[in-house]
Amino acid sequence: MSWFVRKDKGIQTPTELKREAPDGLWYQCPNCKKVMHTREHKLNAYTCVHCNYHEKIGSEAYFSILFDENEFTELDENMTSGDPLKFVDTKAYPDRIKTTIAKTGLKDAVRTAHGPVNGRTVTMAVMDFNFIGGSMGSVVGEKIARAIDHAIRNKTPFLMVSRSGGARMMEAGFSLMQMAKTSAKLALLSEAKLPYVSLLTDPTTGGVTASYAMLGDFNIAEPEALIGFAGPRVIRETIGKDLPKGFQSAEFVLDHGFLDFIVDRKDLKEKLTNLFRMLE
């Protein structure tokens, strides 16, 4: 039985012949903890193939999912924030902006673009939570307003994908005025009889929820997205009571009449095409 006995101790494979899995090859779902191939996860619209958990994604991913062949023209891509209030917290606001731009590769918390979606030209604005919590400042409001103007000029449907913690405190009243500005622009879109669909993703809170996110001809959401004005912790501490199970989830908000329906991200492109066709 000598063939069961290891004659040489240790691993004999030379280092140069060892094969390691490259970084980013596998994705572990934060919900069910199961592992899948990163490519499989991406092809499944960044949702878990085991439990259907919807990974939090930003504008780059949504553009690739929605635009045909990922072909689009970005609008106002180099617009960046000023510092109207000379705001300083742990660092000066301009320094925070520069640091976040360098870290994320984004210029602000929203990107706007137009391109074909199942052959139909659509103008859309998609928020990025990685940029200061997706907060709504002057640039976010202005870019959304200009995207709506583009939709009106070119007579295209408008899609808003929201993911935000609310208004940007570093711009105070300037950020709050974006609620009024974007709402007024959406009124003009309605007068032009052009479709507007608002998609709420996880999380959509604060002044964003109180303005353009809830003003769609159809207000839809992804499964289990957190949707509300104040967060659950703030509400719980304010009223001093435990909140209902699933409070402020998309399913809870749907049951209470604030959403039209919940859509799986894998079906989003087809659903949007059908909605825009209905609204024409």
Side-chain angles (χ1 to χ4, degrees), residues 20-39:
E20 296 182 357
D23 291 339
L25 185 62
W26 300 101
Y27 169 82
Q28 183 178 36
C29 174
N31 184 53
C32 69
K33 308 303 181 185
K34 293 183 178 179
V35 174
M36 70 206 78
H37 200 285
T38 299
R39 184 171 180 272

Side-chain angles (χ1 to χ4, degrees), residues 129-197:
F129 195 81
N130 289 340
F131 198 99
I132 314 183
S135 52
M136 175 184 62
S138 300
V139 168
V140 169
E142 182 64 17
K143 289 184 74 170
I144 293 172
R146 292 189 185 191
I148 296 170
D149 286 340
H150 178 275
I152 294 172
R153 283 195 309 271
N154 294 276
K155 301 188 183 306
T156 73
F158 181 63
L159 169 68
M160 182 72 229
V161 181
S162 298
R163 184 172 174 230
S164 173
R168 187 172 299 174
M169 70 173 187
M170 299 86 163
E171 296 185 25
F174 288 92
S175 64
L176 296 178
M177 284 305 299
Q178 308 313 308
M179 298 168 63
K181 179 164 70 177
T182 53
S183 298
K185 288 292 185 180
L186 287 171
L188 295 177
L189 188 76
S190 179
E191 288 179 10
K193 300 188 184 306
L194 293 168
Y196 169 42
V197 174

